[in-house]
Amino acid sequence: MGLRLDRGQSMKRIFIMLLRDSRGGNAIEYGLIAALVVLGAFAGLKNFANTSIGMWNNVSTVVSKS
């Protein structure tokens, strides 16, 4: 299924074959998209966490003053 390499092939020919081989390109693209989605989720969760912590600190301050 993969690239078939014979013993007599030169490095230049092998390199050209690797450059022309487009299999796996979609998997790489999907991996990059998934990485961007994860980074976006982390950024959103960090923002949510900071807002939530601020809210609970405010609640704590108000309750302790009562």
Side-chain angles (χ1 to χ4, degrees):
M1 281 263 150
L3 289 173
R4 295 190 61 180
L5 303 176
D6 298 327
R7 286 192 144 224
Q9 290 180 331
S10 68
M11 288 298 288
K12 181 178 178 182
R13 182 177 163 112
I14 292 170
F15 185 67
I16 290 171
M17 286 173 53
L18 287 173
L19 286 177
R20 290 184 182 165
D21 187 15
S22 63
R23 291 174 293 176
N26 287 339
I28 292 171
E29 291 171 0
Y30 288 136
L32 291 173
I33 291 169
L36 288 174
V37 168
V38 168
L39 287 175
F42 281 158
L45 285 173
K46 182 178 180 186
N47 186 28
F48 174 76
N50 289 337
T51 303
S52 180
I53 289 170
M55 179 191 69
W56 289 112
N57 284 337
N58 186 35
V59 169
S60 173
T61 303
V62 170
V63 168
S64 67
K65 287 182 180 179
S66 302

Tab-separated table of all heavy atoms in Angstrom:
chain	number	residue	atom	x	y	z
A	1	MET	N	0.804	-1.183	0.000
A	1	MET	CA	0.000	0.000	0.000
A	1	MET	C	0.858	1.263	0.000
A	1	MET	O	0.506	2.236	-0.584
A	1	MET	CB	-0.923	0.027	1.215
A	1	MET	CG	-2.138	-0.823	1.084
A	1	MET	SD	-3.478	0.201	0.553
A	1	MET	CE	-4.413	-0.954	-0.355
A	2	GLY	N	1.958	1.311	0.701
A	2	GLY	CA	2.781	2.504	0.781
A	2	GLY	C	3.716	2.622	-0.407
A	2	GLY	O	3.555	1.967	-1.430
A	3	LEU	N	4.674	3.486	-0.277
A	3	LEU	CA	5.681	3.626	-1.321
A	3	LEU	C	6.536	2.382	-1.375
A	3	LEU	O	6.979	1.890	-0.350
A	3	LEU	CB	6.582	4.834	-1.029
A	3	LEU	CG	5.961	6.204	-1.207
A	3	LEU	CD1	6.933	7.261	-0.720
A	3	LEU	CD2	5.591	6.454	-2.632
A	4	ARG	N	6.763	1.900	-2.580
A	4	ARG	CA	7.616	0.723	-2.729
A	4	ARG	C	9.003	1.187	-3.109
A	4	ARG	O	9.184	1.865	-4.112
A	4	ARG	CB	7.046	-0.195	-3.784
A	4	ARG	CG	5.711	-0.757	-3.340
A	4	ARG	CD	5.260	-1.822	-4.222
A	4	ARG	NE	6.262	-2.874	-4.167
A	4	ARG	CZ	6.191	-3.999	-4.831
A	4	ARG	NH1	5.161	-4.230	-5.604
A	4	ARG	NH2	7.123	-4.905	-4.739
A	5	LEU	N	9.961	0.869	-2.313
A	5	LEU	CA	11.337	1.291	-2.552
A	5	LEU	C	12.187	0.085	-2.907
A	5	LEU	O	12.205	-0.913	-2.204
A	5	LEU	CB	11.910	1.981	-1.315
A	5	LEU	CG	11.136	3.199	-0.812
A	5	LEU	CD1	11.756	3.724	0.465
A	5	LEU	CD2	11.073	4.275	-1.864
A	6	ASP	N	12.857	0.199	-4.030
A	6	ASP	CA	13.785	-0.838	-4.440
A	6	ASP	C	15.192	-0.423	-4.038
A	6	ASP	O	15.485	0.753	-3.863
A	6	ASP	CB	13.713	-1.052	-5.961
A	6	ASP	CG	12.328	-1.524	-6.396
A	6	ASP	OD1	11.685	-2.248	-5.615
A	6	ASP	OD2	11.910	-1.162	-7.506
A	7	ARG	N	16.082	-1.392	-3.933
A	7	ARG	CA	17.438	-1.094	-3.472
A	7	ARG	C	18.190	-0.168	-4.419
A	7	ARG	O	19.023	0.602	-3.996
A	7	ARG	CB	18.231	-2.389	-3.305
A	7	ARG	CG	17.787	-3.134	-2.089
A	7	ARG	CD	18.749	-4.226	-1.772
A	7	ARG	NE	18.795	-4.287	-0.326
A	7	ARG	CZ	19.883	-4.398	0.381
A	7	ARG	NH1	21.038	-4.521	-0.205
A	7	ARG	NH2	19.832	-4.404	1.680
A	8	GLY	N	17.908	-0.220	-5.708
A	8	GLY	CA	18.683	0.542	-6.677
A	8	GLY	C	18.230	1.981	-6.867
A	8	GLY	O	18.833	2.714	-7.641
A	9	GLN	N	17.197	2.425	-6.173
A	9	GLN	CA	16.694	3.776	-6.377
A	9	GLN	C	17.603	4.806	-5.717
A	9	GLN	O	18.098	4.606	-4.610
A	9	GLN	CB	15.285	3.917	-5.816
A	9	GLN	CG	14.253	3.154	-6.608
A	9	GLN	CD	12.874	3.309	-6.015
A	9	GLN	OE1	12.737	3.496	-4.813
A	9	GLN	NE2	11.872	3.222	-6.859
A	10	SER	N	17.783	5.916	-6.414
A	10	SER	CA	18.617	6.974	-5.857
A	10	SER	C	17.809	7.799	-4.850
A	10	SER	O	16.582	7.780	-4.847
A	10	SER	CB	19.128	7.889	-6.972
A	10	SER	OG	18.053	8.623	-7.522
A	11	MET	N	18.499	8.525	-4.019
A	11	MET	CA	17.843	9.372	-3.023
A	11	MET	C	17.002	10.443	-3.711
A	11	MET	O	15.928	10.798	-3.235
A	11	MET	CB	18.879	10.021	-2.103
A	11	MET	CG	19.516	9.055	-1.125
A	11	MET	SD	18.325	8.316	0.003
A	11	MET	CE	17.949	9.693	1.029
A	12	LYS	N	17.484	10.960	-4.837
A	12	LYS	CA	16.744	11.995	-5.558
A	12	LYS	C	15.403	11.439	-6.035
A	12	LYS	O	14.370	12.078	-5.883
A	12	LYS	CB	17.561	12.498	-6.749
A	12	LYS	CG	16.885	13.590	-7.525
A	12	LYS	CD	17.775	14.073	-8.667
A	12	LYS	CE	17.057	15.131	-9.477
A	12	LYS	NZ	17.860	15.595	-10.603
A	13	ARG	N	15.420	10.237	-6.582
A	13	ARG	CA	14.183	9.625	-7.070
A	13	ARG	C	13.222	9.348	-5.914
A	13	ARG	O	12.020	9.580	-6.017
A	13	ARG	CB	14.498	8.339	-7.820
A	13	ARG	CG	13.275	7.675	-8.387
A	13	ARG	CD	13.665	6.449	-9.186
A	13	ARG	NE	12.515	5.609	-9.380
A	13	ARG	CZ	11.946	5.418	-10.556
A	13	ARG	NH1	12.439	5.992	-11.626
A	13	ARG	NH2	10.895	4.639	-10.651
A	14	ILE	N	13.746	8.883	-4.800
A	14	ILE	CA	12.910	8.617	-3.622
A	14	ILE	C	12.287	9.921	-3.124
A	14	ILE	O	11.099	9.981	-2.806
A	14	ILE	CB	13.737	7.936	-2.511
A	14	ILE	CG1	14.141	6.533	-2.954
A	14	ILE	CG2	12.946	7.880	-1.207
A	14	ILE	CD1	15.142	5.874	-2.039
A	15	PHE	N	13.081	10.993	-3.075
A	15	PHE	CA	12.592	12.289	-2.617
A	15	PHE	C	11.486	12.807	-3.538
A	15	PHE	O	10.462	13.309	-3.071
A	15	PHE	CB	13.753	13.292	-2.545
A	15	PHE	CG	13.366	14.619	-1.978
A	15	PHE	CD1	13.004	14.737	-0.654
A	15	PHE	CD2	13.347	15.751	-2.777
A	15	PHE	CE1	12.645	15.960	-0.127
A	15	PHE	CE2	12.981	16.973	-2.260
A	15	PHE	CZ	12.626	17.080	-0.934
A	16	ILE	N	11.667	12.652	-4.855
A	16	ILE	CA	10.648	13.091	-5.814
A	16	ILE	C	9.366	12.279	-5.625
A	16	ILE	O	8.260	12.824	-5.668
A	16	ILE	CB	11.181	12.990	-7.258
A	16	ILE	CG1	12.256	14.057	-7.476
A	16	ILE	CG2	10.070	13.145	-8.275
A	16	ILE	CD1	13.005	13.924	-8.781
A	17	MET	N	9.510	10.981	-5.392
A	17	MET	CA	8.331	10.145	-5.164
A	17	MET	C	7.583	10.589	-3.904
A	17	MET	O	6.352	10.638	-3.885
A	17	MET	CB	8.742	8.675	-5.033
A	17	MET	CG	9.135	8.037	-6.346
A	17	MET	SD	9.811	6.373	-6.158
A	17	MET	CE	8.561	5.548	-5.219
A	18	LEU	N	8.319	10.944	-2.867
A	18	LEU	CA	7.683	11.396	-1.627
A	18	LEU	C	6.970	12.726	-1.828
A	18	LEU	O	5.898	12.960	-1.258
A	18	LEU	CB	8.723	11.504	-0.514
A	18	LEU	CG	9.228	10.185	0.050
A	18	LEU	CD1	10.376	10.435	1.026
A	18	LEU	CD2	8.115	9.421	0.731
A	19	LEU	N	7.562	13.622	-2.620
A	19	LEU	CA	6.929	14.916	-2.876
A	19	LEU	C	5.638	14.763	-3.669
A	19	LEU	O	4.682	15.508	-3.464
A	19	LEU	CB	7.887	15.837	-3.627
A	19	LEU	CG	9.032	16.424	-2.820
A	19	LEU	CD1	9.933	17.261	-3.713
A	19	LEU	CD2	8.504	17.274	-1.678
A	20	ARG	N	5.596	13.820	-4.578
A	20	ARG	CA	4.414	13.616	-5.418
A	20	ARG	C	3.324	12.813	-4.708
A	20	ARG	O	2.174	12.841	-5.130
A	20	ARG	CB	4.807	12.904	-6.701
A	20	ARG	CG	5.614	13.785	-7.605
A	20	ARG	CD	5.899	13.090	-8.903
A	20	ARG	NE	6.722	13.959	-9.748
A	20	ARG	CZ	7.374	13.555	-10.803
A	20	ARG	NH1	7.314	12.285	-11.162
A	20	ARG	NH2	8.088	14.395	-11.507
A	21	ASP	N	3.662	12.118	-3.654
A	21	ASP	CA	2.694	11.288	-2.941
A	21	ASP	C	1.778	12.184	-2.118
A	21	ASP	O	2.221	12.887	-1.222
A	21	ASP	CB	3.425	10.298	-2.035
A	21	ASP	CG	2.491	9.292	-1.408
A	21	ASP	OD1	1.345	9.171	-1.888
A	21	ASP	OD2	2.914	8.623	-0.456
A	22	SER	N	0.495	12.165	-2.437
A	22	SER	CA	-0.455	13.056	-1.748
A	22	SER	C	-1.318	12.314	-0.733
A	22	SER	O	-2.210	12.906	-0.139
A	22	SER	CB	-1.355	13.742	-2.776
A	22	SER	OG	-2.128	12.785	-3.465
A	23	ARG	N	-1.082	11.036	-0.539
A	23	ARG	CA	-1.879	10.294	0.441
A	23	ARG	C	-1.584	10.804	1.841
A	23	ARG	O	-0.452	11.125	2.171
A	23	ARG	CB	-1.565	8.805	0.368
A	23	ARG	CG	-2.062	8.185	-0.926
A	23	ARG	CD	-1.613	6.782	-1.006
A	23	ARG	NE	-0.142	6.820	-1.150
A	23	ARG	CZ	0.619	5.753	-1.174
A	23	ARG	NH1	0.100	4.571	-1.057
A	23	ARG	NH2	1.913	5.865	-1.317
A	24	GLY	N	-2.602	10.870	2.646
A	24	GLY	CA	-2.439	11.339	4.018
A	24	GLY	C	-2.600	12.840	4.163
A	24	GLY	O	-2.603	13.354	5.269
A	25	GLY	N	-2.724	13.542	3.039
A	25	GLY	CA	-2.888	14.994	3.094
A	25	GLY	C	-4.156	15.396	3.810
A	25	GLY	O	-4.174	16.365	4.585
A	26	ASN	N	-5.251	14.671	3.555
A	26	ASN	CA	-6.513	14.988	4.224
A	26	ASN	C	-6.409	14.767	5.723
A	26	ASN	O	-6.954	15.544	6.506
A	26	ASN	CB	-7.652	14.136	3.659
A	26	ASN	CG	-8.059	14.594	2.276
A	26	ASN	OD1	-7.792	15.728	1.894
A	26	ASN	ND2	-8.693	13.716	1.535
A	27	ALA	N	-5.717	13.731	6.130
A	27	ALA	CA	-5.567	13.467	7.566
A	27	ALA	C	-4.816	14.603	8.251
A	27	ALA	O	-5.165	15.008	9.361
A	27	ALA	CB	-4.840	12.141	7.779
A	28	ILE	N	-3.800	15.123	7.576
A	28	ILE	CA	-3.041	16.238	8.143
A	28	ILE	C	-3.926	17.472	8.250
A	28	ILE	O	-3.916	18.181	9.264
A	28	ILE	CB	-1.788	16.517	7.308
A	28	ILE	CG1	-0.805	15.362	7.441
A	28	ILE	CG2	-1.134	17.835	7.704
A	28	ILE	CD1	0.376	15.430	6.508
A	29	GLU	N	-4.710	17.741	7.209
A	29	GLU	CA	-5.609	18.903	7.241
A	29	GLU	C	-6.639	18.766	8.363
A	29	GLU	O	-6.900	19.731	9.083
A	29	GLU	CB	-6.311	19.053	5.899
A	29	GLU	CG	-5.372	19.476	4.789
A	29	GLU	CD	-6.016	19.417	3.417
A	29	GLU	OE1	-7.206	19.048	3.326
A	29	GLU	OE2	-5.327	19.743	2.448
A	30	TYR	N	-7.215	17.587	8.501
A	30	TYR	CA	-8.182	17.377	9.576
A	30	TYR	C	-7.521	17.516	10.941
A	30	TYR	O	-8.114	18.033	11.883
A	30	TYR	CB	-8.857	16.007	9.456
A	30	TYR	CG	-9.846	15.920	8.317
A	30	TYR	CD1	-9.870	14.815	7.484
A	30	TYR	CD2	-10.750	16.934	8.079
A	30	TYR	CE1	-10.776	14.727	6.443
A	30	TYR	CE2	-11.666	16.865	7.042
A	30	TYR	CZ	-11.670	15.751	6.223
A	30	TYR	OH	-12.569	15.676	5.207
A	31	GLY	N	-6.288	17.076	11.059
A	31	GLY	CA	-5.556	17.232	12.314
A	31	GLY	C	-5.324	18.689	12.661
A	31	GLY	O	-5.457	19.102	13.817
A	32	LEU	N	-4.980	19.489	11.657
A	32	LEU	CA	-4.772	20.923	11.892
A	32	LEU	C	-6.075	21.618	12.273
A	32	LEU	O	-6.096	22.470	13.167
A	32	LEU	CB	-4.169	21.577	10.651
A	32	LEU	CG	-2.733	21.195	10.326
A	32	LEU	CD1	-2.319	21.772	8.988
A	32	LEU	CD2	-1.796	21.665	11.423
A	33	ILE	N	-7.167	21.247	11.616
A	33	ILE	CA	-8.466	21.828	11.972
A	33	ILE	C	-8.841	21.451	13.399
A	33	ILE	O	-9.306	22.292	14.173
A	33	ILE	CB	-9.548	21.373	10.967
A	33	ILE	CG1	-9.296	22.002	9.596
A	33	ILE	CG2	-10.947	21.717	11.465
A	33	ILE	CD1	-10.132	21.431	8.478
A	34	ALA	N	-8.637	20.194	13.765
A	34	ALA	CA	-8.944	19.756	15.128
A	34	ALA	C	-8.098	20.512	16.149
A	34	ALA	O	-8.593	20.894	17.217
A	34	ALA	CB	-8.719	18.253	15.264
A	35	ALA	N	-6.831	20.752	15.819
A	35	ALA	CA	-5.954	21.501	16.727
A	35	ALA	C	-6.470	22.928	16.919
A	35	ALA	O	-6.461	23.455	18.043
A	35	ALA	CB	-4.533	21.510	16.198
A	36	LEU	N	-6.934	23.559	15.840
A	36	LEU	CA	-7.482	24.917	15.960
A	36	LEU	C	-8.756	24.931	16.796
A	36	LEU	O	-8.964	25.849	17.596
A	36	LEU	CB	-7.757	25.500	14.574
A	36	LEU	CG	-6.527	25.893	13.762
A	36	LEU	CD1	-6.929	26.321	12.365
A	36	LEU	CD2	-5.756	26.994	14.459
A	37	VAL	N	-9.592	23.920	16.632
A	37	VAL	CA	-10.817	23.835	17.437
A	37	VAL	C	-10.472	23.678	18.909
A	37	VAL	O	-11.069	24.326	19.783
A	37	VAL	CB	-11.704	22.672	16.941
A	37	VAL	CG1	-12.827	22.373	17.913
A	37	VAL	CG2	-12.261	22.985	15.558
A	38	VAL	N	-9.494	22.847	19.216
A	38	VAL	CA	-9.086	22.640	20.608
A	38	VAL	C	-8.510	23.925	21.200
A	38	VAL	O	-8.820	24.283	22.344
A	38	VAL	CB	-8.074	21.470	20.704
A	38	VAL	CG1	-7.417	21.421	22.064
A	38	VAL	CG2	-8.770	20.156	20.409
A	39	LEU	N	-7.689	24.627	20.425
A	39	LEU	CA	-7.136	25.890	20.925
A	39	LEU	C	-8.239	26.909	21.183
A	39	LEU	O	-8.201	27.639	22.180
A	39	LEU	CB	-6.125	26.453	19.925
A	39	LEU	CG	-4.795	25.729	19.847
A	39	LEU	CD1	-3.936	26.320	18.734
A	39	LEU	CD2	-4.053	25.800	21.171
A	40	GLY	N	-9.237	26.965	20.305
A	40	GLY	CA	-10.367	27.861	20.514
A	40	GLY	C	-11.161	27.488	21.757
A	40	GLY	O	-11.592	28.357	22.517
A	41	ALA	N	-11.341	26.194	21.968
A	41	ALA	CA	-12.056	25.739	23.162
A	41	ALA	C	-11.294	26.100	24.431
A	41	ALA	O	-11.889	26.533	25.419
A	41	ALA	CB	-12.281	24.231	23.086
A	42	PHE	N	-9.982	25.920	24.404
A	42	PHE	CA	-9.172	26.286	25.578
A	42	PHE	C	-9.276	27.777	25.869
A	42	PHE	O	-9.397	28.190	27.026
A	42	PHE	CB	-7.710	25.906	25.386
A	42	PHE	CG	-7.420	24.446	25.603
A	42	PHE	CD1	-6.294	23.876	25.037
A	42	PHE	CD2	-8.236	23.642	26.363
A	42	PHE	CE1	-6.003	22.535	25.229
A	42	PHE	CE2	-7.968	22.307	26.567
A	42	PHE	CZ	-6.848	21.753	25.989
A	43	ALA	N	-9.230	28.592	24.835
A	43	ALA	CA	-9.331	30.044	25.030
A	43	ALA	C	-10.692	30.407	25.608
A	43	ALA	O	-10.787	31.241	26.526
A	43	ALA	CB	-9.092	30.767	23.705
A	44	GLY	N	-11.749	29.776	25.092
A	44	GLY	CA	-13.086	30.042	25.613
A	44	GLY	C	-13.239	29.598	27.057
A	44	GLY	O	-13.842	30.299	27.875
A	45	LEU	N	-12.695	28.436	27.383
A	45	LEU	CA	-12.781	27.942	28.763
A	45	LEU	C	-11.994	28.825	29.726
A	45	LEU	O	-12.418	29.049	30.857
A	45	LEU	CB	-12.283	26.505	28.839
A	45	LEU	CG	-13.239	25.455	28.297
A	45	LEU	CD1	-12.571	24.089	28.265
A	45	LEU	CD2	-14.498	25.393	29.131
A	46	LYS	N	-10.855	29.326	29.267
A	46	LYS	CA	-10.065	30.209	30.128
A	46	LYS	C	-10.834	31.489	30.423
A	46	LYS	O	-10.877	31.955	31.567
A	46	LYS	CB	-8.727	30.533	29.466
A	46	LYS	CG	-7.851	31.406	30.318
A	46	LYS	CD	-6.518	31.685	29.682
A	46	LYS	CE	-5.700	32.578	30.594
A	46	LYS	NZ	-4.463	33.010	29.991
A	47	ASN	N	-11.470	32.045	29.398
A	47	ASN	CA	-12.267	33.257	29.588
A	47	ASN	C	-13.437	32.979	30.526
A	47	ASN	O	-13.722	33.767	31.428
A	47	ASN	CB	-12.770	33.766	28.236
A	47	ASN	CG	-13.474	35.095	28.346
A	47	ASN	OD1	-13.199	35.883	29.227
A	47	ASN	ND2	-14.403	35.332	27.439
A	48	PHE	N	-14.112	31.847	30.332
A	48	PHE	CA	-15.224	31.479	31.198
A	48	PHE	C	-14.760	31.285	32.633
A	48	PHE	O	-15.418	31.722	33.581
A	48	PHE	CB	-15.890	30.199	30.687
A	48	PHE	CG	-16.949	29.670	31.603
A	48	PHE	CD1	-18.185	30.276	31.668
A	48	PHE	CD2	-16.694	28.575	32.412
A	48	PHE	CE1	-19.166	29.792	32.522
A	48	PHE	CE2	-17.660	28.085	33.263
A	48	PHE	CZ	-18.899	28.695	33.316
A	49	ALA	N	-13.614	30.643	32.813
A	49	ALA	CA	-13.094	30.384	34.163
A	49	ALA	C	-12.772	31.696	34.873
A	49	ALA	O	-13.105	31.866	36.053
A	49	ALA	CB	-11.857	29.499	34.094
A	50	ASN	N	-12.125	32.620	34.157
A	50	ASN	CA	-11.791	33.907	34.781
A	50	ASN	C	-13.047	34.674	35.177
A	50	ASN	O	-13.114	35.266	36.258
A	50	ASN	CB	-10.943	34.748	33.830
A	50	ASN	CG	-9.545	34.192	33.671
A	50	ASN	OD1	-9.054	33.464	34.524
A	50	ASN	ND2	-8.912	34.522	32.568
A	51	THR	N	-14.063	34.663	34.329
A	51	THR	CA	-15.322	35.338	34.642
A	51	THR	C	-16.006	34.670	35.830
A	51	THR	O	-16.512	35.347	36.738
A	51	THR	CB	-16.256	35.315	33.419
A	51	THR	OG1	-15.582	35.921	32.320
A	51	THR	CG2	-17.546	36.046	33.679
A	52	SER	N	-16.022	33.361	35.856
A	52	SER	CA	-16.659	32.624	36.939
A	52	SER	C	-15.946	32.864	38.268
A	52	SER	O	-16.598	33.068	39.301
A	52	SER	CB	-16.667	31.128	36.608
A	52	SER	OG	-17.268	30.399	37.639
A	53	ILE	N	-14.634	32.858	38.247
A	53	ILE	CA	-13.865	33.102	39.477
A	53	ILE	C	-14.157	34.503	40.000
A	53	ILE	O	-14.354	34.706	41.210
A	53	ILE	CB	-12.359	32.897	39.219
A	53	ILE	CG1	-12.065	31.414	39.026
A	53	ILE	CG2	-11.525	33.478	40.360
A	53	ILE	CD1	-10.655	31.131	38.528
A	54	GLY	N	-14.214	35.482	39.081
A	54	GLY	CA	-14.531	36.852	39.499
A	54	GLY	C	-15.908	36.950	40.119
A	54	GLY	O	-16.103	37.638	41.134
A	55	MET	N	-16.879	36.249	39.536
A	55	MET	CA	-18.235	36.272	40.065
A	55	MET	C	-18.282	35.671	41.476
A	55	MET	O	-18.872	36.248	42.390
A	55	MET	CB	-19.171	35.484	39.148
A	55	MET	CG	-20.611	35.430	39.646
A	55	MET	SD	-21.616	34.257	38.751
A	55	MET	CE	-20.913	32.705	39.271
A	56	TRP	N	-17.621	34.515	41.656
A	56	TRP	CA	-17.662	33.872	42.975
A	56	TRP	C	-16.874	34.663	44.012
A	56	TRP	O	-17.252	34.683	45.196
A	56	TRP	CB	-17.159	32.436	42.893
A	56	TRP	CG	-18.152	31.558	42.179
A	56	TRP	CD1	-18.000	30.976	40.972
A	56	TRP	CD2	-19.459	31.221	42.635
A	56	TRP	NE1	-19.131	30.281	40.640
A	56	TRP	CE2	-20.055	30.411	41.651
A	56	TRP	CE3	-20.197	31.520	43.779
A	56	TRP	CZ2	-21.337	29.901	41.763
A	56	TRP	CZ3	-21.483	31.005	43.900
A	56	TRP	CH2	-22.037	30.213	42.902
A	57	ASN	N	-15.815	35.330	43.604
A	57	ASN	CA	-15.093	36.206	44.544
A	57	ASN	C	-15.983	37.363	44.978
A	57	ASN	O	-15.965	37.768	46.146
A	57	ASN	CB	-13.810	36.735	43.918
A	57	ASN	CG	-12.720	35.696	43.864
A	57	ASN	OD1	-12.722	34.731	44.634
A	57	ASN	ND2	-11.789	35.873	42.951
A	58	ASN	N	-16.773	37.899	44.052
A	58	ASN	CA	-17.709	38.974	44.394
A	58	ASN	C	-18.771	38.469	45.357
A	58	ASN	O	-19.107	39.145	46.337
A	58	ASN	CB	-18.349	39.527	43.113
A	58	ASN	CG	-19.214	40.734	43.383
A	58	ASN	OD1	-18.914	41.542	44.248
A	58	ASN	ND2	-20.298	40.844	42.635
A	59	VAL	N	-19.304	37.279	45.101
A	59	VAL	CA	-20.302	36.689	46.010
A	59	VAL	C	-19.698	36.500	47.391
A	59	VAL	O	-20.327	36.817	48.417
A	59	VAL	CB	-20.818	35.346	45.446
A	59	VAL	CG1	-21.635	34.593	46.495
A	59	VAL	CG2	-21.642	35.574	44.192
A	60	SER	N	-18.468	36.000	47.440
A	60	SER	CA	-17.800	35.780	48.724
A	60	SER	C	-17.636	37.096	49.483
A	60	SER	O	-17.848	37.157	50.703
A	60	SER	CB	-16.442	35.117	48.475
A	60	SER	OG	-15.720	35.032	49.667
A	61	THR	N	-17.246	38.150	48.775
A	61	THR	CA	-17.048	39.450	49.417
A	61	THR	C	-18.357	39.994	49.966
A	61	THR	O	-18.414	40.491	51.113
A	61	THR	CB	-16.453	40.446	48.397
A	61	THR	OG1	-15.241	39.919	47.889
A	61	THR	CG2	-16.203	41.797	49.019
A	62	VAL	N	-19.430	39.896	49.175
A	62	VAL	CA	-20.737	40.401	49.607
A	62	VAL	C	-21.252	39.619	50.817
A	62	VAL	O	-21.772	40.188	51.781
A	62	VAL	CB	-21.744	40.364	48.438
A	62	VAL	CG1	-23.147	40.637	48.929
A	62	VAL	CG2	-21.358	41.348	47.361
A	63	VAL	N	-21.080	38.305	50.810
A	63	VAL	CA	-21.579	37.473	51.907
A	63	VAL	C	-20.773	37.738	53.176
A	63	VAL	O	-21.335	37.803	54.280
A	63	VAL	CB	-21.515	35.968	51.511
A	63	VAL	CG1	-21.739	35.086	52.732
A	63	VAL	CG2	-22.529	35.673	50.430
A	64	SER	N	-19.456	37.902	53.047
A	64	SER	CA	-18.649	38.136	54.245
A	64	SER	C	-18.903	39.509	54.857
A	64	SER	O	-18.714	39.695	56.065
A	64	SER	CB	-17.168	37.974	53.913
A	64	SER	OG	-16.740	38.987	53.036
A	65	LYS	N	-19.363	40.475	54.067
A	65	LYS	CA	-19.681	41.802	54.605
A	65	LYS	C	-21.052	41.821	55.297
A	65	LYS	O	-21.333	42.727	56.052
A	65	LYS	CB	-19.685	42.848	53.487
A	65	LYS	CG	-18.302	43.190	53.006
A	65	LYS	CD	-18.364	44.261	51.935
A	65	LYS	CE	-16.970	44.620	51.451
A	65	LYS	NZ	-17.020	45.645	50.404
A	66	SER	N	-21.890	40.821	55.037
A	66	SER	CA	-23.227	40.804	55.628
A	66	SER	C	-23.221	40.436	57.078
A	66	SER	O	-22.515	39.707	57.616
A	66	SER	CB	-24.121	39.798	54.908
A	66	SER	OG	-24.214	40.104	53.547
